Amino acid sequence: MRIHFHTDNYWFSGSETTLMVLLDAAQRDPGIESVFTYVSWPEYTPGLGDALPSGVTARALDLPDPAGWKARAIGTGGEGRSAVVRAVARAMPLRKAALAMDVPRLTRLFEETNPDVVHINNGGFPGAISCNAAAMAARRAGVAGIVYVVNNLALGYRRPSRWTDRPIDRRVVDSVSSFVTGSHAAARQLERVVGIRPEQTRVIPNTVVPKAPTGGRSTLRRALGVADDAPVALVVARLERRKGHAVLLRGLAAAAGRSWTLLIAGDGPERAGLERLAAALGFGDRVRFLGHRRDVADLLAATDVVVLPSIGQEDFPIVTLEAMAAGRAVVATRVAGSKEQVVDGETGRLVPVGDEHAVASAVLEVLADPERREAMGAAGRRRFEEHYDRDAVVGQYRDLWTEVSS
């Protein structure tokens, strides 16, 4: 079986984690020949370099960038384009122009690689331009099986910017053999938005390969400047509004007199604002922004509870799987796949979305009860091994590839 994997994301995030597992499995499988292409973006390429499995060759594609076109047309700083030029540049359908350019290029590429399956990995729906183009191009190239993985909740047509996407969405749907989502909630949302049949979707959970920490708990805590007996909570997520960091911080402010430390790992556009909020709330060094970290296994080993306070647009969070695999209790909001991952009261706590008091109370409750959180962590590890183990997930994908290619 020949599989051509393709992905397009502006930054390397959780949506790429399962893809890396599949790439590794494919290159180890004597029954699979694989090709991997991606669109090179400044924030994506370094992350790929860190995570690409040994032995896997990655081929970067240089495809049109509508954002770059628009920036050059509008100008920045003192370039001073006229108001007319700026208005025309903003109104031009540049994404659709790039799509029209991508389809023939990718068609030629698939004719060259001649795959049985094109496996498209994407952050959400509507997809990245090259992901949508890949679906159409694979169909034009006569590829038997086209799998399109959607790693987030599909966006509806409420905004004017989405109205003109309908014809493109329809062409993508008509091209794809099977859409894959990590959660049933995301599958139902995709079916509602684009009107696809339930039999055209497949729910396959994400997975991770657990990593061992580089040292013991005490050693790792000393490196972080945390005492052995300090209650520690950890958030690992890109610093963007939908992840709900601000909700957690405001909730914890009401319990500022209690002993706890919050570690926030990740970077993103909200970092400066979140740091200002933490300072304004008077947390001092009890809230620590660690920036982008590669040593998540070490952070998990040094932590008591993992928190994901997302307020929307989540499918099947990778950090929850990492926490479960590491035997850590999880406090998460009731968004999409989190409700399917976390068993409330057994492997962690589920709280209402956006409820500052509820999320903070749940975190502090778990931190205050070492025996209970250990039991939750152990239950989470068992749940991971039973439902989200690497081999089981890879097996489900291999079955799908075989099915769509025949």
Side-chain angles (χ1 to χ4, degrees):
M1 185 190 309
R2 293 184 299 276
I3 303 177
H4 188 133
F5 295 90
H6 177 72
T7 191
D8 186 350
N9 276 297
Y10 281 123
W11 53 83
F12 196 93
S13 61
S15 61
E16 302 295 294
T17 302
T18 299
L19 175 63
M20 295 299 111
V21 173
L22 296 177
L23 288 172
D24 182 56
Q27 66 98 16
R28 294 173 184 272
D29 189 329
I32 295 178
E33 298 176 25
S34 62
V35 173
F36 172 46
T37 56
Y38 69 99
V39 180
S40 180
W41 300 109
E43 289 188 62
Y44 180 86
T45 304
L48 177 63
D50 292 338
L52 189 68
S54 175
V56 175
T57 300
R59 177 178 173 182
L61 302 180
D62 184 14
L63 297 175
D65 175 16
W69 292 343
K70 188 172 291 186
R72 287 191 293 272
I74 294 174
T76 57
E79 289 183 45
R81 301 287 195 267
S82 72
V84 173
V85 171
R86 292 196 300 271
V88 170
R90 291 192 179 99
M92 289 179 66
L94 299 180
R95 284 178 56 85
K96 293 174 179 59
L99 180 75
M101 296 171 67
D102 284 355
V103 171
R105 293 185 186 188
L106 290 171
T107 299
R108 291 192 293 271
L109 176 62
F110 295 143
E111 289 172 344
E112 170 194 324
T113 59
N114 191 30
D116 300 301
V117 176
V118 168
H119 178 108
I120 302 164
N121 187 72
N122 196 67
F125 196 92
I129 296 169
S130 79
C131 290
N132 288 342
M136 300 177 197
R139 184 59 65 202
R140 287 179 58 175
V143 177
I146 303 167
V147 173
Y148 195 116
V149 183
V150 179
N151 286 289
N152 212 319
L153 299 181
L155 293 177
Y157 300 104
R158 297 177 181 175
R159 297 183 302 184
S161 60
R162 282 284 284 138
W163 296 348
T164 58
D165 287 339
R166 283 182 182 270
I168 295 172
D169 292 354
R170 194 69 255 159
R171 287 191 62 190
V172 171
V173 168
D174 291 343
S175 299
V176 170
S177 307
S178 182
F179 287 93
V180 177
T181 62
S183 70
H184 290 85
R188 290 192 297 270
Q189 174 81 348
L190 185 62
E191 291 162 9
R192 284 194 298 268
V193 168
V194 293
I196 60 177
R197 306 177 310 278
E199 58 267 27
Q200 199 181 356
T201 60
R202 187 72 58 91
V203 177
I204 302 178
N206 289 328
T207 187
V208 296
V209 178
K211 296 181 180 179
T214 60
R217 180 179 172 89
S218 294
T219 301
L220 297 171
R221 283 195 161 211
R222 280 198 299 272
L224 291 166
V226 178
D228 280 353
D229 59 350
V232 177
L234 170 70
V235 181
V236 181
R238 181 171 167 80
L239 303 187
E240 51 188 350
R241 185 179 178 277
R242 70 185 180 93
K243 295 295 185 178
H245 296 83
V247 173
L248 175 62
L249 291 176
R250 289 193 293 264
L252 288 172
R258 300 176 64 174
S259 174
W260 49 264
T261 297
L262 175 65
L263 305 177
I264 299 178
D267 217 333
E270 294 292 309
R271 178 164 182 171
L274 290 170
E275 289 178 333
R276 288 194 296 270
L277 176 61
L281 294 173
F283 287 130
D285 65 356
R286 289 194 301 167
V287 174
R288 304 182 188 179
F289 291 86
L290 306 180
H292 175 69
R293 300 288 292 235
R294 301 176 184 176
D295 58 342
V296 174
D298 287 355
L299 297 179
L300 290 169
T303 295
D304 297 307
V305 61
V306 174
V307 192
L308 189 63
S310 300
I311 57 176
Q313 288 304 109
E314 286 282 10
D315 179 10
F316 209 76
I318 291 296
V319 66
T320 305
L321 297 179
E322 292 176 321
M324 293 166 67
R328 292 292 173 266
V330 177
V331 173
T333 49
R334 296 180 181 274
V335 291
S338 291
K339 295 183 292 185
E340 298 173 25
Q341 293 172 314
V342 178
V343 181
D344 190 27
E346 181 180 330
T347 69
R349 290 294 316 281
L350 287 171
V351 299
V353 176
D355 190 325
E356 300 171 6
H357 173 73
V359 68
S361 295
V363 170
L364 296 175
E365 171 192 313
V366 175
L367 286 176
D369 192 340
E371 186 174 332
R372 187 182 183 204
R373 70 172 180 254
E374 287 295 322
M376 287 179 165
R381 184 185 291 113
R382 290 193 298 272
R383 182 168 174 79
F384 174 83
E385 293 169 350
E386 291 170 5
H387 298 281
Y388 312 127
D389 173 73
R390 170 194 181 277
D391 291 341
V393 171
V394 169
Q396 291 182 63
Y397 270 105
R398 204 184 197 295
D399 290 345
L400 177 59
W401 297 330
T402 301
E403 176 185 321
V404 299
S405 64
S406 58

